Amino acid sequence: MTDIATTARNLLDAGLGRLASADDLESFEVIQRDVLGKKSALAALNTHLRDLTPEQRREAGEAIKATRDTLTEESARIRALLVERHRREQLAAERMDLSELAAAPAGPPLAWSGRGAGHSHLVTSTRDELEDTFVAMGFTVAEGPEAETDWYNFEALNMPPDHPARGMWDTLYLRLGQPGQVLLRTHTSPVQVHLMESGMLPIYAVMPGRCYRRDTPDARHLPVFHQIEGLVVDRGITFGDLAGVIEAFTGAFFGPGMHSRLRPSFFPFTEPSAEFEVTCPICAGGGCRTCSNSGWIELGGCGMVDPNVFRAVGIDPEEYSGFAFGFGIDRLAQVRASLSDMRALLDNDVRFLSQF
Ligand code: DAH
């Protein structure tokens, strides 16, 4: 074997070792240039070929080519791994933690009890994921009170006293102030009113929180449950924007291949109103028991903000338009985790909770 062929073999081993030692993209680029670049020892070998006999030249040329091919392949593989690792690290670093705990000053560590560390409840982690998804889409997160007045829960939402649509919500009233005036909010829609009243336009916000209804718990209803509300108010907002946001959210939250559709409905605070459905996450649209073989699951309500709502909060409906949506977080968690009975979310059975 010629000296050149031997050197090429040695350069192959050394090059493979050096490429494998790169621990980030920056050091990889430097190593790759050293190993395969124009000024590399491998490139320098070519200049010695002309001193050889034709027979030797062929053998040495083949050895150089084999080394170069293997090193090129290996460097492409390692580069792809490092790019993927970099992407994952960047996502982890940019992930926003909106919990209050994260903002709390670091105190002394809690005494280690020797048991499992525990984790968020399924409903809490679903809410966190929803917030992250909407924040990534450019929304802010807002909250409002759980005890509301009749005005915020109903009247400002285009339901004057005795309006029949109030019957859509079985309301729990508090013995506070004027009789029938203070209640536990039946939905998160009153937070829309607080936001719009503040007068800070435009609004692109989601509002998660706890809601209450005079309901007997069953497989699909809880008297205390969670909703997330969405509200966009700006100049020139159209129904197309609403449909686009719902579709973008569906893809971002449920993953590729999942879609949304809107069907006509009625809510007093939106006109026109719609129910929005998403591809059934259990059967991916193929049809199953959960979606009654339709391939679609109803998630919540939405529509264009009714001009009467704008007037109630002092926004000019000739200048501004907007859309709103709202859906149940517990219900979403139930569907995604294929729970036949929602009451499991309240039982606090560790054998159930630790599965999520
Ligand atoms: N608040 C409604 C409910 O609890 C859900 C809803 C429907 C919210 C339409 C909206 C909307 O913002 O536009 O049933």
Side-chain angles (χ1 to χ4, degrees):
M1 206 192 307
T2 59
D3 287 351
I4 293 182
T6 312
T7 313
R9 301 266 145 84
N10 292 340
L11 285 176
L12 174 63
D13 292 339
L16 288 176
R18 290 210 56 205
L19 286 171
S21 73
D23 45 16
D24 58 23
L25 275 171
E26 256 171 48
S27 61
F28 173 80
E29 302 292 351
V30 175
I31 295 174
Q32 191 193 31
R33 213 173 313 123
D34 274 4
V35 170
L36 279 161
K38 273 192 214 133
K39 293 184 183 150
S40 63
L42 186 63
L45 280 187
N46 284 321
T47 58
H48 300 296
L49 287 177
R50 59 174 172 254
D51 308 327
L52 305 178
T53 65
E55 174 68 10
Q56 288 170 327
R57 198 178 301 145
R58 197 168 41 78
E59 188 201 348
E62 272 167 15
I64 294 174
K65 182 172 182 315
T67 295
R68 175 171 293 283
D69 287 351
T70 309
L71 288 175
T72 305
E73 245 171 59
E74 185 62 7
S75 81
R77 191 184 71 81
I78 290 176
R79 182 161 211 291
L81 286 178
L82 291 171
V83 166
E84 174 58 20
R85 192 202 295 172
H86 177 71
R87 198 186 65 88
R88 253 185 286 126
E89 283 169 358
Q90 211 170 17
L91 278 180
E94 284 171 6
R95 185 180 181 281
M96 276 204 218
D97 188 346
L98 299 162
S99 65
E100 287 163 17
L101 266 184
L110 293 176
W112 174 244
S113 66
R115 285 155 153 255
H119 58 77
S120 300
H121 188 277
L122 175 61
V123 173
T124 309
S125 55
T126 307
R127 173 186 160 155
D128 287 348
E129 258 183 80
L130 286 167
E131 286 183 11
D132 283 356
T133 307
F134 281 111
V135 166
M137 289 169 67
F139 285 73
T140 56
V141 180
E143 287 188 346
E146 292 175 23
E148 281 289 9
T149 59
D150 181 273
W151 195 77
Y152 284 99
N153 199 80
F154 292 123
E155 201 160 344
L157 290 167
N158 200 24
M159 282 174 278
D162 300 323
H163 191 286
R166 289 181 172 218
M168 290 167 77
W169 298 276
D170 292 306
T171 310
L172 288 160
Y173 289 90
L174 296 175
R175 276 202 206 101
L176 211 74
Q178 298 282 332
Q181 285 307 300
V182 186
L183 47 84
L184 292 174
R185 66 179 177 195
T186 58
H187 49 179
T188 41
S189 302
V191 191
Q192 289 186 32
V193 180
H194 288 286
L195 270 190
M196 288 190 278
E197 254 183 357
S198 75
M200 305 226 292
L201 296 174
I203 296 169
Y204 291 82
V206 289
M207 299 143 264
R210 199 176 289 140
C211 306
Y212 304 80
R213 287 186 200 171
R214 197 157 37 80
D215 265 339
T216 307
D218 66 24
R220 289 169 49 126
H221 297 90
L222 299 175
V224 182
F225 59 100
H226 303 79
Q227 283 190 340
I228 186 163
E229 193 81 12
L231 177 68
V232 166
V233 180
D234 204 343
R235 292 187 173 89
I237 298 292
T238 67
F239 197 90
D241 296 317
L242 165 61
V245 163
I246 299 278
E247 176 68 8
F249 158 75
T250 304
F253 185 77
F254 293 97
M258 301 290 286
H259 297 286
S260 61
R261 67 175 186 183
L262 302 179
R263 320 182 85 195
S265 184
F266 172 79
F267 295 97
F269 29 89
T270 43
E271 182 59 36
S273 302
E275 248 151 39
F276 72 89
E277 301 187 339
V278 297
T279 314
C280 174
I282 308 295
C283 60
C288 66
R289 263 182 43 191
T290 305
C291 61
S292 314
N293 273 319
S294 69
W296 296 93
I297 290 274
E298 187 202 321
L299 210 58
C302 60
M304 301 306 290
V305 179
D306 193 292
N308 284 340
V309 175
F310 280 141
R311 284 186 202 107
V313 294
I315 293 177
D316 180 0
E318 298 298 324
E319 188 180 352
Y320 284 95
S321 59
F323 63 78
F325 56 86
F327 56 90
I329 299 178
D330 316 72
R331 175 99 185 97
L332 177 62
Q334 177 185 27
V335 171
R336 276 221 307 182
S338 309
L339 309 179
S340 54
D341 196 319
M342 234 187 202
R343 287 169 290 191
L345 295 170
L346 292 188
D347 288 342
N348 281 343
D349 184 330
V350 171
R351 290 166 303 178
F352 166 77
L353 293 175
S354 58
Q355 295 176 65
F356 303 101

